[in-house]
Amino acid sequence: MKPAAFEYLAPVSLAEAVAALGRDDAKILAGGQSLVPMLNFRLRAPSLLVDIGRIPGLDYIEDDRAGGLRIGAMTRHHTVETSDLLRQRFPVLHAAMQYVAHLAIRNKGTIGGSLCHGDPAAELPGLMLLLDARLKTTQRTIAAEDFYEGALDTALAEDEILTEILLPPLPAGTGWGFEEFARRSGDFALTAVGATVGEEARIVAIGAHETPLRLRAAEALFPDIEAAAEAAREEVSPNDDLHGSADYRRHLVSVLTRHALMSAREGAAS
Ligand SMILES: Cc1cc2nc3c(=O)[nH]c(=O)nc-3n(C[C@H](O)[C@H](O)[C@H](O)COP(=O)(O)OP(=O)(O)OC[C@H]3O[C@@H](n4cnc5c(N)ncnc54)[C@H](O)[C@@H]3O)c2cc1C
């Protein structure tokens, strides 16, 4: 199918973009890798697309001088995936990027687009919870944990643009694990789990709930990994669908939690 007719605007400043978004039924276009298929299937039919790809200064990965990173919202997945700085500071994020779609999609898709699209099976939203990211917009700074309100539903207002992702430093000696199960390489996760172990254990489930989810009961049971893996199964509320039943996804969450925690514990110990 082809999309319904829309107007197209490519502003060159954030102020101009925000003003355009004030119009009824406008939608931001970033890499287009999620939005364009939705337009083609007519799941969305905005009257105006505001392409933020020509606004300068939204594509960067920078040291925040405190050991963390600042990432511009228009930074392409491929840039994130190949950044040495990011691999050194946040190896768990680097590992998770290998599971995001295919190269052609990673060349166009942006970190901001993935976070704002809010697919519960996407890796990046879950990683932001795991890494306690702060999301900076044209209006405010929001904790990643407060950003997701439902499947494909975020706290963003209609005229609010995500501009930057702030990743606080991981404490020295933090170990990590990331485990994903998908039917084919490049597909969305059937389920994935990320974990970090340092001063505290953090565990996030992806594709097993209507939003990415911190598994706090499981975290509290660490270092008993078997107990944490059992608790993880009960914390998520996955859907049944063509690709797998809810019970199967719960089972996967439990198995992947065990594996992610074992890797994280091993990394922390070494
Ligand atoms: C075949 C296929 C397989 C894929 N597999 C995976 C996968 O395994 N894992 C995965 O994570 N993703 C996957 N994706 C999605 C891909 O990662 C997209 O690139 C990403 O979800 C959206 O990024 P984008 O820049 O293309 O955003 P767009 O499609 O342009 O926008 C997505 C949504 O976010 C909004 N938006 C975009 N940028 C901003 C901003 N800065 N501020 C506010 N709102 C904004 C848009 O209005 C739109 O609603 C897949 C996509 C395809 C087509």
Side-chain angles (χ1 to χ4, degrees):
M1 251 163 73
K2 292 291 164 206
F6 55 81
E7 280 181 60
Y8 172 85
L9 199 68
V12 291
S13 73
L14 278 172
E16 206 189 326
V18 169
L21 289 168
R23 232 177 84 172
D24 269 0
D25 206 18
K27 198 96 185 106
I28 296 167
L29 175 70
Q33 299 303 295
S34 294
L35 183 58
V36 171
M38 292 184 92
L39 298 181
N40 287 343
F41 284 116
R42 302 208 176 188
L43 295 170
R44 297 274 186 282
S47 59
L48 170 67
L49 281 192
V50 180
D51 183 347
I52 58 172
R54 294 195 199 158
I55 301 174
L58 291 176
D59 175 1
Y60 55 85
I61 299 178
E62 284 176 7
D63 189 346
D64 74 354
R65 291 169 192 274
L69 289 180
R70 298 165 50 239
I71 306 178
M74 283 299 289
T75 307
R76 309 278 169 190
H77 296 325
H78 185 60
T79 309
V80 174
E81 173 194 1
T82 52
S83 161
D84 284 339
L85 194 55
L86 187 128
R87 185 169 45 80
Q88 286 155 16
R89 299 271 172 91
F90 300 100
V92 64
L93 179 50
H94 174 77
M97 287 308 297
Q98 318 306 314
Y99 293 94
V100 176
H102 310 280
L103 183 59
I105 292 160
R106 296 201 298 271
N107 275 333
K108 294 287 289 176
T110 64
I111 185 167
S114 178
L115 299 185
C116 296
H117 185 59
D119 191 314
E123 290 81 4
L124 283 163
L127 263 290
M128 296 303 111
L129 260 68
L130 184 67
L131 296 173
D132 203 17
R134 299 279 180 279
L135 307 180
K136 196 171 157 197
T137 77
T138 41
Q139 298 182 13
R140 57 194 162 142
T141 300
I142 317 171
E145 197 146 7
D146 299 329
F147 193 68
Y148 293 103
E149 298 187 337
L152 307 184
D153 189 13
T154 71
L156 285 176
E158 296 294 324
D159 62 347
E160 189 171 11
I161 303 175
L162 176 66
T163 55
E164 187 176 75
I165 295 98
L166 305 156
L167 294 176
L170 278 175
T174 300
W176 59 272
F178 184 82
E179 299 286 334
E180 173 162 327
F181 186 80
R183 298 286 290 260
R184 293 174 308 188
S185 164
D187 277 5
F188 275 101
L190 210 54
T191 299
V193 172
T196 54
V197 167
E199 289 156 11
E200 56 165 8
R202 285 175 81 98
I203 311 169
V204 168
I206 293 164
H209 205 79
E210 63 170 5
T211 60
L213 187 71
R214 277 275 301 275
L215 302 182
R216 291 180 190 279
E219 290 172 0
L221 289 164
F222 186 81
D224 184 339
I225 290 183
E226 287 309 316
E230 273 312 303
R233 181 197 302 269
E234 303 305 324
E235 285 193 84
V236 292
S237 304
N239 288 328
D240 281 310
D241 64 22
L242 277 178
H243 306 290
S245 67
D247 275 352
Y248 179 54
R249 283 195 163 89
R250 276 207 188 84
H251 171 70
L252 280 177
V253 166
S254 182
V255 172
L256 299 181
T257 297
R258 181 183 303 117
H259 290 184
L261 280 175
M262 282 163 61
S263 301
R265 183 180 60 186
E266 200 178 308
S270 64

